[in-house]
């Protein structure tokens, strides 16, 4: 990544319904241009809820976060993201209370903004952000899931967690409770680092090292994203698959 105050970025985003689902409950947003006091903004959300509630929840969350960030008087990126996520949580709670069809809806969110060589990240749920280069892939976010809690406590191993039948049970979601707690990260980026944001439709189908090898072997950012989606579908495509890739120019 460049060390300039304003990041010059190349990005590509894609969302795919997968091979098993009838509705795409994922929603992505990508802006290389400023959003309020943020120099750029990238969002991935994976909705949950019956009927159309899941896809509605992810869309409402993303749109509310963008609107809130654009209007925020804050200058600190993490404070902006926090306020925006809180606004999204309130909005989803209000909508869920207004209709039985929307009751219980919620969504994961992972949000990111780049400023020079700093990456600012917020997440709720089990959608992920990775920093990847030719040598390693590093998950920055921490999954808010029952299985991940078991791993942290030493109850099960990482490999067992990957194949656990309850791995999709999340412990935090935007809209699940009256208040929501996001995790926040500030990361220093190196020159060759690439940012991957994605839903669990990708990470449940591919090992981290498989993801890194696909990114390392493809010709350009579009091919990288498309090959990630194709590989997830080739491995079963059991869920919606969403990817945002971010590179510096």
């Amino acid at each position: 990544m460049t060390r300039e105050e304003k990041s010059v970025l190349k990005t590509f985003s894609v969302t795919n319904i997968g091979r098993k689902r009838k509705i795409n409950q994922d929603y992505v947003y990508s802006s290389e241009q400023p959003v309020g006091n943020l120099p750029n903004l990238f969002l991935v959300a994976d909705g949950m809820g019956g009927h159309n509630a899941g896809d509605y929840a992810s869309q409402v969350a993303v749109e509310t976060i963008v609107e809130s960030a654009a209007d925020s008087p804050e200058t600190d990126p993490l404070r902006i993201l926090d306020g925006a996520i809180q606004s999204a949580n309130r909005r989803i709670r209000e909508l869920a209370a207004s209709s039985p069809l929307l009751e219980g809806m919620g969504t994961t969110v992972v949000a990111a903004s780049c400023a020079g060589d700093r990456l600012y990240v917020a997440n709720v749920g089990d959608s992920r952000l990775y920093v990847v280069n030719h040598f390693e892939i590093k998950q920055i976010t921490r999954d808010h899931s029952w299985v991940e809690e078991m791993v942290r406590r030493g109850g099960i191993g990482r490999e067992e967690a990957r194949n656990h039948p309850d791995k999709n049970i999340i412990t935090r979601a935007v809209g699940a409770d009256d208040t929501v707690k996001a995790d926040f990260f500030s990361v220093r980026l190196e020159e060759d680092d690439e940012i991957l944001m994605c839903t669990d439709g990708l990470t449940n189908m591919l090992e981290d090292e498989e993801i890194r090898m696909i990114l390392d072997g493809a010709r350009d950012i579009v091919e990288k994203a498309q090959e990630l989606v194709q590989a997830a579908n080739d491995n079963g495509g059991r869920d919606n698959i969403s990817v945002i890739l971010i590179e510096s120019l």
Side-chain angles (χ1 to χ4, degrees), residues 224-241:
K224 289 175 182 181
Q226 292 174 339
E227 288 195 3
L228 286 174
V229 171
Q230 186 62 51
N233 275 324
D234 289 345
N235 283 359
R238 292 195 297 268
D239 201 351
N240 311 141
I241 307 153

Side-chain angles (χ1 to χ4, degrees), residues 61-78:
V62 168
E63 291 176 349
T64 304
I65 289 169
V66 173
E67 291 169 5
S68 177
D71 293 339
S72 177
E74 298 281 357
T75 55
D76 178 79
L78 296 182

Side-chain angles (χ1 to χ4, degrees), residues 150-222:
M150 291 292 290
V151 171
R152 289 176 198 161
R153 295 173 185 171
I156 59 175
R158 181 62 61 186
E159 187 58 35
E160 184 182 353
R162 180 171 179 78
N163 300 300
H164 199 283
D166 295 328
K167 66 182 178 181
N168 291 326
I169 298 176
I170 60 175
T171 55
R172 292 189 214 171
V174 178
D177 295 297
D178 288 338
T179 59
V180 62
K181 182 179 184 298
D183 285 348
F184 300 97
F185 308 88
S186 175
V187 182
R188 184 177 182 275
L189 296 165
E190 301 297 335
E191 186 174 348
D192 294 328
D193 285 344
E194 186 169 20
I195 300 159
L196 165 65
M197 302 168 67
C198 60
T199 56
D200 65 349
L202 180 76
T203 54
N204 283 341
M205 296 292 98
L206 298 173
E207 300 277 1
D208 285 4
E209 186 58 20
E210 292 178 285
I211 292 172
R212 189 196 67 79
M213 291 178 66
I214 289 170
L215 293 177
D216 199 39
R219 291 173 298 179
D220 57 41
I221 195 169
V222 176

Side-chain angles (χ1 to χ4, degrees), residues 45-209:
D46 181 358
M48 59 186 186
H51 304 286
N52 293 326
D55 61 319
Y56 188 48
S58 59
Q59 179 180 347
V60 167
V62 168
E63 291 176 349
T64 304
I65 289 169
V66 173
E67 291 169 5
S68 177
D71 293 339
S72 177
E74 298 281 357
T75 55
D76 178 79
L78 296 182
R79 286 183 177 271
I80 295 171
L81 295 177
D82 188 20
I85 290 171
Q86 300 302 325
S87 294
N89 190 74
R90 288 192 296 271
R91 181 62 177 150
I92 291 175
R93 296 290 288 174
E94 291 168 0
L95 291 169
S98 70
S99 168
L101 293 177
L102 302 178
E103 185 177 356
M105 72 174 180
T107 184
T108 71
V109 166
V110 58
S113 185
C114 299
D117 65 351
R118 302 301 302 186
L119 172 67
Y120 300 96
V121 183
N123 87 287
V124 179
D126 62 356
S127 295
R128 294 180 178 178
L129 183 145
Y130 293 88
V131 172
V132 191
N133 56 41
H134 297 300
F135 307 105
E136 66 175 349
I137 176 169
K138 183 177 181 181
Q139 182 181 341
I140 302 301
T141 54
R142 293 193 302 173
D143 295 351
H144 301 139
S145 67
W146 182 84
V147 166
E148 183 64 22
E149 291 293 335
M150 291 292 290
V151 171
R152 289 176 198 161
R153 295 173 185 171
I156 59 175
R158 181 62 61 186
E159 187 58 35
E160 184 182 353
R162 180 171 179 78
N163 300 300
H164 199 283
D166 295 328
K167 66 182 178 181
N168 291 326
I169 298 176
I170 60 175
T171 55
R172 292 189 214 171
V174 178
D177 295 297
D178 288 338
T179 59
V180 62
K181 182 179 184 298
D183 285 348
F184 300 97
F185 308 88
S186 175
V187 182
R188 184 177 182 275
L189 296 165
E190 301 297 335
E191 186 174 348
D192 294 328
D193 285 344
E194 186 169 20
I195 300 159
L196 165 65
M197 302 168 67
C198 60
T199 56
D200 65 349
L202 180 76
T203 54
N204 283 341
M205 296 292 98
L206 298 173
E207 300 277 1
D208 285 4
E209 186 58 20

